[in-house]
Amino acid sequence: MKAKLILLGCWSVMALVSNSCLATNGDSTVIRHHSPVTDPGNAGLKLPAGFKALKVAENLGEARHVAVTPLGDVYVKVQSSKPGKAITFLHDNNGDGKADVVKSFGTYRGTGIIIKGNYLYASSDEDVYRYKLNDKYQVINPDQPEKIITGLINRHQHESKSLALDNDGNIYVNIGAFSNSCQVQDRAKGSKGIEGCPILDSAAGIWQFKADKLNQAYGDGVKYATGLRNVVGLDWNTQQNQLFVMQHGRDGLFDMFPEYYTLEQGNELPAECMYALKKGDNAGWPYIYYDGLQKKKMLAPEYGGDGKKTGGENAIDPVAAFPAHMAPNGLLFYTGSQFPAKYKNGAFIAFHGSWNRQKGQKGYCVVFVPFKDGKPSGDWEVFADNFAGITNIQSPGQAQHRPCGLAQGPDGSLYVTDDVKGTVYKITYSGK
Amino acid sequence: MKRMIVTCVALSAILSLMAQAPKTTPGQQSKIRGKKVYEQYCLACHQVDGGGVPHLNPPLKKTSFIIGDKTKLIDVILKGMQSSVPIDDEYYSNNMPPHNFLKDQEIADVLTFIRNNFGNKAKAVTIAEVKAVRAKQP
């Protein structure tokens, strides 16, 4: 019965895919890859045939993003203000995949964590730190990181500062908009959008800084891309040498504008979008949103839109679009060789799961999008599912786990963090 | 889904009962009207089960606001809430917009509904109480 339900859930997701949710046209045969793995040892996850999962660790707290060292040790950014709980280090002594050493350090909330070269970078909701690594890629001085970026705006909403690095010594930081749609009064029915939205000056974009310079403030950085409401998942695509980001689309079309949108439209609009960014790009927030059903940039109703007027002539188009409100919190381009060839250079996205749909939530899964030459080469498909542990989620509090961060291990395994219970999953492929 | 069907059945039962025998107390009637207000203006954020959204929107289950001082509670509805202050030791990132456009009756109803739902048990909020708090708004 349960399996049937899951399958049904899967089908409805797939139905959505083939109907409407993709910017690129899809191949509906992808669904055949989803035969459920029945092994209860897969840590409760449902994976494509040949994949297995295990829990590296659990109960770490609110495990946000994750980084894996070239030797397979794991650093998890934990969203906690408790003393000494900012980052958890995991080490496996006996090679069974489970962490035997669990240590934590640092005192600051925050989401971002990433390893590049001989440094571990981590962010609070205002600052970015780096920690020097030793020859075993372990943090040398956990209590004395260098502060490389400081004073980024944190007004509570969309506060996480996710990180990516390129190969030229630059670090990219998301600064989310502290607002839903730049209204005079955030989320208030009838409140208009502010002309020349001032939030764009200090937030709602990606800022570029130097990875090795200390105490950089706004003035030392470059507003690399703007008009991005809130990005939590971002990754530097080394094949394209380009930054890709996942935007959290706006809320409240139906709640605030029932005169223009039905409940169903409110559920399905706007798309969660993937953008490939170049310096100077503008994705159009708050003036527009992307309608994944019509595949058009639409004028936001706070700025005179009505669900029909298009807009954003100067705004870039997404490279891929996904069903609304699923909250993409992790993005990873897979460069490993462990998984079958189709996964190479494709994108994994961790969808934290929606809350602002009505009559049933969506997401709570990791999806995969195949890529060729920097563009999606096929439909997205659900890769890892059943994090929530229940079907037909009505309220996000019901989910037992919610995927958030992604990282690739040196052997090509995929790591996924869960910020409900603090689980770190490791997904491997054996073909069996 | 099951729960939704059950609530739907329960609701229509209550409604038809009301139609036949107008014996429900004013408090019960206020709760029924309050549920409607909740669904239209609060449910999207605080969720169908009043559970809120972890770390984003607070639950409406036995928080100090819900079962505490009515004046403060009415104030939250009128002014909204954009503080960064933890609620019962937990941070919530989102903003709550003001709902001062709701009528006194609607605010009394929705608060009576949440104070007697989601596992809460507290006294009804009256129109007079809402009026009094609204009068003190700047």
Side-chain angles (χ1 to χ4, degrees):
Chain A
M1 183 58 197
K2 206 167 165 198
K4 257 195 196 146
L5 270 175
I6 293 171
L7 224 104
L8 251 167
C10 192
W11 268 112
S12 55
V13 171
M14 296 319 293
L16 257 167
V17 178
S18 40
N19 287 347
S20 49
C21 292
L22 267 187
T24 53
N25 241 339
D27 165 8
S28 59
T29 56
V30 286
I31 191 165
R32 302 217 179 92
H33 296 289
H34 294 287
S35 47
V37 176
T38 47
D39 181 357
N42 278 341
L45 300 188
K46 199 161 75 73
L47 300 165
F51 287 90
K52 297 258 183 283
L54 68 87
K55 287 182 182 172
V56 177
E58 51 192 327
N59 302 318
L60 300 183
E62 210 186 316
R64 298 287 288 175
H65 282 175
V66 55
V68 184
T69 74
L71 295 178
D73 290 328
V74 181
Y75 285 96
V76 182
K77 182 70 193 77
V78 178
Q79 177 80 289
S80 168
S81 43
K82 290 200 191 109
K85 296 287 177 202
I87 297 174
T88 300
F89 167 76
L90 305 173
H91 177 77
D92 171 17
N93 276 329
N94 57 9
D96 65 353
K98 301 260 175 196
D100 310 302
V101 178
V102 179
K103 283 191 296 198
S104 62
F105 58 92
T107 302
Y108 48 95
R109 291 167 62 80
T111 290
I113 194 160
I114 185 167
I115 289 168
K116 181 88 183 170
N118 287 314
Y119 282 97
L120 173 77
Y121 299 81
S123 64
S124 70
D125 295 330
E126 300 87 13
D127 305 313
V128 182
Y129 302 92
R130 71 170 186 174
Y131 298 80
K132 183 116 178 80
L133 303 175
N134 64 20
D135 56 356
K136 293 199 185 74
Y137 296 98
Q138 294 183 2
V139 167
I140 295 169
N141 210 336
D143 296 325
Q144 278 151 336
E146 294 175 309
K147 195 185 269 188
I148 58 168
I149 305 165
T150 184
L152 303 180
I153 206 158
N154 170 14
R155 296 240 184 115
H156 212 35
Q157 191 175 170
H158 303 150
E159 70 274 47
S160 66
K161 305 291 185 286
S162 309
L163 306 172
L165 286 111
D166 65 17
N167 295 321
D168 299 311
N170 299 305
I171 186 164
Y172 300 84
V173 187
N174 167 68
I175 307 176
F178 42 92
S179 169
N180 175 43
S181 51
C182 208
Q183 289 164 282
V184 173
Q185 180 118 50
D186 188 32
R187 295 173 193 263
K189 220 172 143 67
S191 177
K192 287 248 182 305
I194 306 173
E195 292 305 329
C197 176
I199 293 173
L200 294 163
D201 296 344
S202 61
I206 306 289
W207 266 254
Q208 183 196 51
F209 295 93
K210 292 278 168 249
D212 62 354
K213 220 176 118 192
L214 304 192
N215 294 312
Q216 298 166 90
Y218 273 101
D220 302 302
V222 173
K223 198 200 284 185
Y224 190 75
T226 190
L228 288 156
R229 179 176 172 274
N230 184 33
V231 167
V232 186
L234 75 175
D235 194 17
W236 187 262
N237 181 319
T238 47
Q239 209 196 12
Q240 292 302 117
N241 213 22
Q242 192 173 12
L243 184 66
F244 282 68
V245 303
M246 291 292 315
Q247 176 182 241
H248 282 222
R250 55 158 302 152
D251 305 327
L253 287 174
F254 166 68
D255 309 332
M256 288 190 287
F257 300 95
E259 64 275 35
Y260 300 138
Y261 302 90
T262 63
L263 185 144
E264 288 71 28
Q265 286 171 319
N267 282 346
E268 300 304 337
L269 296 175
E272 299 288 51
C273 292
M274 179 193 285
Y275 293 100
L277 298 179
K278 290 195 298 290
K279 192 173 173 176
D281 275 347
N282 182 352
W285 182 92
Y287 311 109
I288 58 141
Y289 64 86
Y290 189 75
D291 180 330
L293 309 179
Q294 299 190 61
K295 297 178 182 153
K296 278 181 188 158
K297 288 171 288 195
M298 310 299 293
L299 199 59
E302 291 84 356
Y303 289 92
D306 57 2
K308 295 186 183 71
K309 285 182 206 147
T310 57
E313 287 69 26
N314 299 323
I316 57 170
D317 281 316
V319 291
F322 302 85
H325 310 306
M326 300 207 303
N329 273 10
L331 170 65
L332 175 96
F333 285 95
Y334 185 75
T335 55
S337 302
Q338 181 188 136
F339 291 3
K342 82 164 191 187
Y343 293 97
K344 188 100 179 182
N345 300 318
F348 286 102
I349 302 157
F351 282 105
H352 199 222
S354 71
W355 57 271
N356 43 10
R357 285 173 172 261
Q358 290 192 35
K359 308 195 193 312
Q361 304 299 347
K362 273 212 167 65
Y364 305 86
C365 58
V366 175
V367 314
F368 176 74
V369 195
F371 263 67
K372 197 169 168 20
D373 304 328
K375 289 200 178 62
S377 58
D379 239 349
W380 62 272
E381 60 193 59
V382 175
F383 175 73
D385 208 354
N386 201 36
F387 285 88
I390 58 160
T391 50
N392 190 17
I393 304 164
Q394 293 295 323
S395 169
Q398 298 168 338
Q400 287 159 25
H401 305 277
R402 300 178 78 183
C404 184
L406 298 171
Q408 186 182 308
D411 63 351
S413 301
L414 180 68
Y415 289 76
V416 186
T417 46
D418 140 54
D419 66 358
V420 179
K421 296 245 170 69
T423 313
V424 178
Y425 299 90
K426 180 181 180 180
I427 301 176
T428 53
Y429 180 77
S430 67
K432 287 191 281 257
Chain B
M1 190 59 200
K2 211 171 187 176
R3 214 172 36 220
M4 253 168 63
I5 294 173
V6 173
T7 23
C8 279
V9 170
L11 193 75
S12 47
I14 292 167
L15 286 173
S16 59
L17 258 172
M18 271 178 61
Q20 284 159 12
K23 272 196 191 142
T24 45
T25 64
Q28 281 166 324
Q29 286 169 18
S30 174
K31 254 182 81 176
I32 291 162
R33 287 192 306 266
K35 183 170 191 290
K36 282 235 162 77
V37 178
Y38 184 80
E39 285 170 353
Q40 189 170 352
Y41 297 109
C42 323
L43 182 147
C45 290
H46 292 290
Q47 303 291 305
V48 67
D49 58 358
V53 180
H55 315 297
L56 214 63
N57 303 323
L60 301 180
K61 291 177 178 175
K62 297 186 181 155
T63 68
S64 41
F65 280 93
I66 302 299
I67 51 180
D69 175 35
K70 289 190 208 175
T71 308
K72 264 196 183 153
L73 180 59
I74 296 166
D75 224 43
V76 168
I77 307 307
L78 290 171
K79 289 200 194 112
M81 206 171 164
Q82 296 87 31
S83 71
S84 309
V85 181
I87 298 168
D88 298 337
D89 290 333
E90 189 48 82
Y91 280 97
Y92 297 96
S93 302
N94 207 349
N95 286 333
M96 171 160 160
H99 283 73
N100 49 2
F101 60 88
L102 293 175
K103 297 190 190 78
D104 294 342
Q105 165 104 62
E106 290 173 313
I107 293 176
D109 289 346
V110 76
L111 291 179
T112 299
F113 168 74
I114 56 176
R115 276 163 69 94
N116 290 284
N117 217 298
F118 313 135
N120 304 318
K121 193 113 202 73
K123 280 211 180 107
V125 171
T126 65
I127 297 178
E129 286 165 332
V130 178
K131 232 186 225 19
V133 179
R134 202 193 290 266
K136 282 195 220 118
Q137 302 284 310

